[in-house]
Amino acid sequence: MTMTRFRSLLIDKAGVRMPGLHVMRFALHRHMPEHASVELHKHAWSQVLFYMDGRGVQMLRNAEARIEPGSLVVLPPGAPHAFRREKARAPLCLMIDFQMKGARAHRADVCGLGRSELAEVQRHLAHLLRLYDGAGKAFRWECVPVMLQLLVMFLRAAGWIARLRPAQADELGSGAAVRQLLAKMDKNAALAQVVKQSGYQRDYLNRLVKRETGLTLGRYRAQQRLARAKELLAQGVRVSEVAAETGLPDQSYFARWFKKQTGRMPSAWARRKE
């Protein structure tokens, strides 16, 4: 993950308030270069620490966790924590200080984000920096939704906020979009091409497809191909034609693939007794 292009950003008194939530501070910066570590301390508020580059060790009371690019630390009020970096380069860290109703019921957590979530963080931060350019010390209201989207994403990753249920995802349009994609998927196209045409990151698309079908994109297409192959073989269609029709035109490869799925060669499966 390359995020070194992002420069420092500080919204020291964000003052974003809504029922149950107050975002106090939003800062993107490097640890002070003269300090190799941040000593054990705690806050009266909650805090998100998202490490965008750099490596080290995050200490949480008596526990330690490895920190690398993409590591996320979410701390409830009063949670003792410290950080020790491992290399000369100070890590680039996104920090959000906030107060949230019920935060004390949660535990401090260290986790990592998936590739699609990391890409989403980059997009949000790039957008936020564009909005903030030229604002000087003035706070731009357009920044608020972006900061809240990032905070919600981090809290979901740490389990502080429940992830969307499939029905909720449908309301946002992703469910319908995935069903349309699957219905129109070219059986001969490489999976990389299908992913590119979808406009989603691959691992995120896999999660959406699994939410709809219970299978990853690759397994879903394999299941569809197998069902079509069985249907054609049952009709007496030649194996070479079945291979071409299911998007696996190499007959030998198709035969090996079919046997791996069913335990039988295509010709043997076609001759089976019902």
Side-chain angles (χ1 to χ4, degrees):
M1 181 177 75
T2 303
M3 294 203 184
T4 54
R5 69 180 186 276
F6 289 112
R7 61 190 180 281
S8 295
L9 170 69
L10 172 62
I11 304 175
D12 196 19
K13 295 181 179 179
V16 178
R17 294 179 181 271
M18 59 187 63
L21 179 67
H22 175 202
V23 180
M24 304 149 51
R25 189 170 189 246
F26 187 102
L28 173 63
H29 58 73
R30 293 192 181 277
H31 284 287
M32 296 299 290
E34 63 269 22
H35 298 301
S37 63
V38 178
E39 298 301 324
L40 192 69
H41 64 290
K42 58 185 178 181
H43 309 293
W45 54 84
S46 299
Q47 188 174 72
V48 160
L49 299 170
F50 177 63
Y51 289 91
M52 301 174 65
D53 69 16
R55 297 178 185 277
V57 176
Q58 184 77 49
M59 287 154 277
L60 303 172
R61 200 179 293 273
N62 297 322
E64 293 187 353
R66 299 288 303 173
I67 294 298
E68 57 187 17
S71 293
L72 173 66
V73 182
V74 183
L75 303 163
H81 60 285
F83 178 79
R84 183 178 69 249
R85 78 172 191 250
E86 292 186 340
K87 296 185 178 181
R89 182 178 176 83
L92 179 64
C93 183
L94 172 60
M95 181 183 72
I96 307 175
D97 290 340
F98 64 101
Q99 294 173 327
M100 187 179 84
K101 185 177 180 180
R104 290 186 180 276
H106 296 284
R107 295 185 303 174
D109 189 36
V110 179
C111 59
L113 301 188
R115 285 181 298 173
S116 63
E117 292 168 317
L118 293 175
E120 192 171 351
V121 170
Q122 292 193 37
R123 288 195 297 272
H124 283 319
L125 285 175
H127 186 203
L128 184 60
L129 286 166
R130 286 195 299 270
L131 289 172
Y132 208 69
D133 276 345
K137 295 183 178 180
F139 182 74
R140 297 189 59 165
W141 289 109
E142 298 99 320
C143 297
V144 173
V146 185
M147 290 192 297
L148 291 177
Q149 284 177 308
L150 282 165
L151 179 57
V152 166
M153 182 193 310
F154 294 144
L155 295 181
R156 278 208 177 108
W160 283 35
I161 296 177
R163 292 184 180 273
L164 294 177
R165 300 189 303 273
Q168 293 173 307
D170 278 348
E171 292 173 2
L172 298 177
S174 62
V178 168
R179 289 193 294 273
Q180 185 178 26
L181 171 71
L182 296 177
K184 296 182 177 180
M185 185 167 56
D186 183 356
K187 64 179 181 301
N188 294 314
L191 281 181
Q193 183 180 347
V194 175
V195 173
K196 184 177 180 180
Q197 290 173 344
S198 75
Y200 295 111
Q201 294 286 330
R202 182 164 185 156
D203 58 332
Y204 182 61
L205 178 59
N206 270 327
R207 287 206 297 272
L208 292 178
V209 173
K210 193 166 186 177
R211 185 182 294 161
E212 292 296 317
T213 68
L215 303 168
T216 62
L217 179 63
R219 289 304 305 160
Y220 176 83
R221 187 165 73 166
Q223 186 183 75
Q224 297 300 303
R225 280 175 164 171
L226 184 61
R228 179 60 174 160
K230 288 180 176 180
E231 178 185 353
L232 294 173
L233 289 170
Q235 295 172 7
V237 178
R238 291 189 301 178
V239 173
S240 59
E241 295 176 1
V242 174
E245 175 64 23
T246 54
L248 300 171
D250 184 320
Q251 184 174 336
S252 297
Y253 177 82
F254 169 75
R256 293 194 301 273
W257 172 83
F258 188 89
K259 185 176 181 180
K260 184 177 181 180
Q261 305 299 316
T262 65
R264 298 185 185 184
M265 295 297 286
S267 55
W269 194 92
R271 295 193 302 267
R272 80 198 190 291
K273 293 183 179 179
E274 300 292 347

PDB file of all heavy atoms in Angstrom, residues 69-83:
ATOM      1  N   PRO A  69       1.726  -0.998   7.426  1.00  0.00           N
ATOM      2  CA  PRO A  69       0.790  -0.201   6.630  1.00  0.00           C
ATOM      3  C   PRO A  69      -0.572  -0.889   6.513  1.00  0.00           C
ATOM      4  O   PRO A  69      -0.658  -2.067   6.177  1.00  0.00           O
ATOM      5  CB  PRO A  69       1.490  -0.115   5.270  1.00  0.00           C
ATOM      6  CG  PRO A  69       2.936  -0.213   5.599  1.00  0.00           C
ATOM      7  CD  PRO A  69       3.020  -1.186   6.738  1.00  0.00           C
ATOM      8  N   GLY A  70      -1.632  -0.154   6.843  1.00  0.00           N
ATOM      9  CA  GLY A  70      -2.981  -0.715   6.810  1.00  0.00           C
ATOM     10  C   GLY A  70      -3.489  -1.157   8.165  1.00  0.00           C
ATOM     11  O   GLY A  70      -4.648  -1.563   8.288  1.00  0.00           O
ATOM     12  N   SER A  71      -2.653  -1.068   9.209  1.00  0.00           N
ATOM     13  CA  SER A  71      -3.094  -1.457  10.557  1.00  0.00           C
ATOM     14  C   SER A  71      -4.025  -0.393  11.135  1.00  0.00           C
ATOM     15  O   SER A  71      -3.790   0.804  10.988  1.00  0.00           O
ATOM     16  CB  SER A  71      -1.896  -1.658  11.491  1.00  0.00           C
ATOM     17  OG  SER A  71      -1.130  -2.774  11.101  1.00  0.00           O
ATOM     18  N   LEU A  72      -5.050  -0.866  11.808  1.00  0.00           N
ATOM     19  CA  LEU A  72      -6.052   0.011  12.409  1.00  0.00           C
ATOM     20  C   LEU A  72      -6.122  -0.250  13.905  1.00  0.00           C
ATOM     21  O   LEU A  72      -6.227  -1.397  14.338  1.00  0.00           O
ATOM     22  CB  LEU A  72      -7.421  -0.246  11.768  1.00  0.00           C
ATOM     23  CG  LEU A  72      -8.627   0.462  12.389  1.00  0.00           C
ATOM     24  CD1 LEU A  72      -8.517   1.972  12.200  1.00  0.00           C
ATOM     25  CD2 LEU A  72      -9.923  -0.070  11.787  1.00  0.00           C
ATOM     26  N   VAL A  73      -6.059   0.811  14.696  1.00  0.00           N
ATOM     27  CA  VAL A  73      -6.186   0.718  16.153  1.00  0.00           C
ATOM     28  C   VAL A  73      -7.392   1.570  16.552  1.00  0.00           C
ATOM     29  O   VAL A  73      -7.477   2.743  16.182  1.00  0.00           O
ATOM     30  CB  VAL A  73      -4.916   1.239  16.865  1.00  0.00           C
ATOM     31  CG1 VAL A  73      -5.059   1.083  18.378  1.00  0.00           C
ATOM     32  CG2 VAL A  73      -3.675   0.518  16.350  1.00  0.00           C
ATOM     33  N   VAL A  74      -8.333   0.980  17.289  1.00  0.00           N
ATOM     34  CA  VAL A  74      -9.507   1.715  17.763  1.00  0.00           C
ATOM     35  C   VAL A  74      -9.543   1.601  19.288  1.00  0.00           C
ATOM     36  O   VAL A  74      -9.526   0.492  19.832  1.00  0.00           O
ATOM     37  CB  VAL A  74     -10.810   1.179  17.138  1.00  0.00           C
ATOM     38  CG1 VAL A  74     -11.994   2.012  17.604  1.00  0.00           C
ATOM     39  CG2 VAL A  74     -10.721   1.203  15.619  1.00  0.00           C
ATOM     40  N   LEU A  75      -9.574   2.746  19.953  1.00  0.00           N
ATOM     41  CA  LEU A  75      -9.429   2.795  21.408  1.00  0.00           C
ATOM     42  C   LEU A  75     -10.649   3.430  22.067  1.00  0.00           C
ATOM     43  O   LEU A  75     -11.063   4.533  21.676  1.00  0.00           O
ATOM     44  CB  LEU A  75      -8.200   3.627  21.771  1.00  0.00           C
ATOM     45  CG  LEU A  75      -6.866   3.170  21.161  1.00  0.00           C
ATOM     46  CD1 LEU A  75      -5.844   4.285  21.253  1.00  0.00           C
ATOM     47  CD2 LEU A  75      -6.374   1.916  21.866  1.00  0.00           C
ATOM     48  N   PRO A  76     -11.218   2.768  23.073  1.00  0.00           N
ATOM     49  CA  PRO A  76     -12.298   3.400  23.846  1.00  0.00           C
ATOM     50  C   PRO A  76     -11.705   4.380  24.852  1.00  0.00           C
ATOM     51  O   PRO A  76     -10.487   4.397  25.070  1.00  0.00           O
ATOM     52  CB  PRO A  76     -12.945   2.202  24.549  1.00  0.00           C
ATOM     53  CG  PRO A  76     -11.812   1.249  24.738  1.00  0.00           C
ATOM     54  CD  PRO A  76     -10.919   1.408  23.534  1.00  0.00           C
ATOM     55  N   PRO A  77     -12.517   5.194  25.488  1.00  0.00           N
ATOM     56  CA  PRO A  77     -11.998   6.120  26.501  1.00  0.00           C
ATOM     57  C   PRO A  77     -11.286   5.365  27.624  1.00  0.00           C
ATOM     58  O   PRO A  77     -11.737   4.302  28.057  1.00  0.00           O
ATOM     59  CB  PRO A  77     -13.257   6.818  27.025  1.00  0.00           C
ATOM     60  CG  PRO A  77     -14.273   6.644  25.944  1.00  0.00           C
ATOM     61  CD  PRO A  77     -13.968   5.328  25.307  1.00  0.00           C
ATOM     62  N   GLY A  78     -10.159   5.907  28.056  1.00  0.00           N
ATOM     63  CA  GLY A  78      -9.448   5.332  29.191  1.00  0.00           C
ATOM     64  C   GLY A  78      -8.570   4.140  28.872  1.00  0.00           C
ATOM     65  O   GLY A  78      -8.001   3.538  29.792  1.00  0.00           O
ATOM     66  N   ALA A  79      -8.426   3.769  27.604  1.00  0.00           N
ATOM     67  CA  ALA A  79      -7.615   2.604  27.246  1.00  0.00           C
ATOM     68  C   ALA A  79      -6.139   2.995  27.184  1.00  0.00           C
ATOM     69  O   ALA A  79      -5.752   3.819  26.352  1.00  0.00           O
ATOM     70  CB  ALA A  79      -8.055   2.048  25.892  1.00  0.00           C
ATOM     71  N   PRO A  80      -5.273   2.425  28.051  1.00  0.00           N
ATOM     72  CA  PRO A  80      -3.840   2.748  28.004  1.00  0.00           C
ATOM     73  C   PRO A  80      -3.231   2.222  26.696  1.00  0.00           C
ATOM     74  O   PRO A  80      -3.504   1.095  26.281  1.00  0.00           O
ATOM     75  CB  PRO A  80      -3.268   2.002  29.214  1.00  0.00           C
ATOM     76  CG  PRO A  80      -4.443   1.657  30.070  1.00  0.00           C
ATOM     77  CD  PRO A  80      -5.590   1.476  29.130  1.00  0.00           C
ATOM     78  N   HIS A  81      -2.396   3.030  26.058  1.00  0.00           N
ATOM     79  CA  HIS A  81      -1.773   2.608  24.810  1.00  0.00           C
ATOM     80  C   HIS A  81      -0.456   3.346  24.599  1.00  0.00           C
ATOM     81  O   HIS A  81      -0.235   4.437  25.137  1.00  0.00           O
ATOM     82  CB  HIS A  81      -2.712   2.849  23.625  1.00  0.00           C
ATOM     83  CG  HIS A  81      -3.106   4.270  23.435  1.00  0.00           C
ATOM     84  ND1 HIS A  81      -4.034   4.900  24.248  1.00  0.00           N
ATOM     85  CD2 HIS A  81      -2.709   5.213  22.538  1.00  0.00           C
ATOM     86  CE1 HIS A  81      -4.198   6.146  23.858  1.00  0.00           C
ATOM     87  NE2 HIS A  81      -3.399   6.382  22.826  1.00  0.00           N
ATOM     88  N   ALA A  82       0.411   2.714  23.813  1.00  0.00           N
ATOM     89  CA  ALA A  82       1.705   3.302  23.488  1.00  0.00           C
ATOM     90  C   ALA A  82       2.127   2.755  22.133  1.00  0.00           C
ATOM     91  O   ALA A  82       1.567   1.770  21.636  1.00  0.00           O
ATOM     92  CB  ALA A  82       2.734   2.951  24.561  1.00  0.00           C
ATOM     93  N   PHE A  83       3.156   3.376  21.556  1.00  0.00           N
ATOM     94  CA  PHE A  83       3.638   2.940  20.241  1.00  0.00           C
ATOM     95  C   PHE A  83       5.160   3.030  20.205  1.00  0.00           C
ATOM     96  O   PHE A  83       5.750   3.995  20.687  1.00  0.00           O
ATOM     97  CB  PHE A  83       3.049   3.806  19.130  1.00  0.00           C
ATOM     98  CG  PHE A  83       3.546   3.433  17.749  1.00  0.00           C
ATOM     99  CD1 PHE A  83       3.009   2.338  17.089  1.00  0.00           C
ATOM    100  CD2 PHE A  83       4.556   4.152  17.134  1.00  0.00           C
ATOM    101  CE1 PHE A  83       3.471   1.975  15.826  1.00  0.00           C
ATOM    102  CE2 PHE A  83       5.026   3.803  15.867  1.00  0.00           C
ATOM    103  CZ  PHE A  83       4.481   2.702  15.219  1.00  0.00           C
TER     104      PHE A  83
END
